[in-house]
Amino acid sequence: MFRNKLLNIMIIILLGISLIGVIALVTVDKFYADESTDEPTIDEIIKYSVDFDEMTTNLQSGGYVRLKMKVQTDSKKATEELLKRDFQVQNIVIHQIASKTASDFEGGKGLTQLEEEIQQKINEVMQDGEIVKVYTTSFLLQN
């Protein structure tokens, strides 16, 4: 009889420790979970992006650049606004490229800088949302 009581007490203690362990595991998992779900999925990126027709414009140093872009926004409203502002986007791109020389595009850094400049300039005219990223989908530099 004494053994049965002792065995029951040991089982209760083991169940209690197991329960505490499960609660601790769930709590730690919840508080330290990876919060990478803030990044948009590829479907969301495509949904909130606008493709622009190919543009060709002269460089300051002579020659020309021909490029196509995809511009990612942060919302449906921003995408709709960007579609309406296509003429302003083209104007911004032309002005940004016209102030460049061919040497500004040597290496990938020049193109990345151009994308960032275009993003900043478009954001200056946007009212309903903002531009998240500018992607160059086609690029041709002719000296």
Side-chain angles (χ1 to χ4, degrees):
M1 187 161 295
F2 178 69
R3 278 189 170 170
N4 285 342
K5 285 184 180 182
L6 185 60
L7 186 60
N8 286 340
I9 291 173
M10 287 175 59
I11 290 174
I12 291 171
I13 290 172
L14 286 175
L15 286 174
I17 291 172
S18 298
L19 182 62
I20 290 171
V22 169
I23 291 171
L25 181 65
V26 170
T27 303
V28 167
D29 187 50
K30 183 172 180 142
F31 284 115
Y32 295 103
D34 183 20
E35 301 200 12
S36 62
T37 57
D38 293 345
E39 290 294 318
T41 64
I42 188 64
D43 292 329
E44 291 170 330
I45 291 172
I46 292 170
K47 181 179 177 181
Y48 297 132
S49 294
V50 175
D51 287 305
F52 284 90
D53 293 334
E54 187 172 75
M55 291 180 261
T56 304
T57 189
N58 294 327
L59 291 166
Q60 181 183 31
S61 61
Y64 65 89
V65 168
R66 180 176 292 156
L67 81 151
K68 284 179 72 173
M69 301 181 317
K70 181 181 280 287
V71 180
Q72 179 189 349
T73 68
D74 65 347
S75 66
K76 182 179 178 182
K77 288 180 87 173
T79 303
E80 292 169 357
E81 179 184 359
L82 184 62
L83 285 167
K84 294 175 187 175
R85 293 184 181 276
D86 69 326
F87 68 97
Q88 289 176 311
V89 171
Q90 291 175 12
N91 180 264
I92 288 168
V93 171
I94 289 169
H95 281 270
Q96 290 303 117
I97 291 175
S99 67
K100 305 274 185 199
T101 63
S103 63
D104 291 332
F105 294 105
E106 290 178 1
K109 191 174 182 181
L111 192 55
T112 301
Q113 183 179 352
L114 176 67
E115 291 169 344
E116 291 169 357
E117 291 170 359
I118 291 170
Q119 177 182 346
Q120 177 190 357
K121 294 289 186 184
I122 298 172
N123 274 328
E124 289 175 9
V125 297
M126 292 289 289
Q127 296 174 346
D128 293 328
E130 66 178 23
I131 304 306
V132 176
K133 180 104 172 87
V134 174
Y135 299 93
T136 303
T137 57
S138 174
F139 183 80
L140 174 67
L141 170 66
Q142 180 66 43
N143 273 330

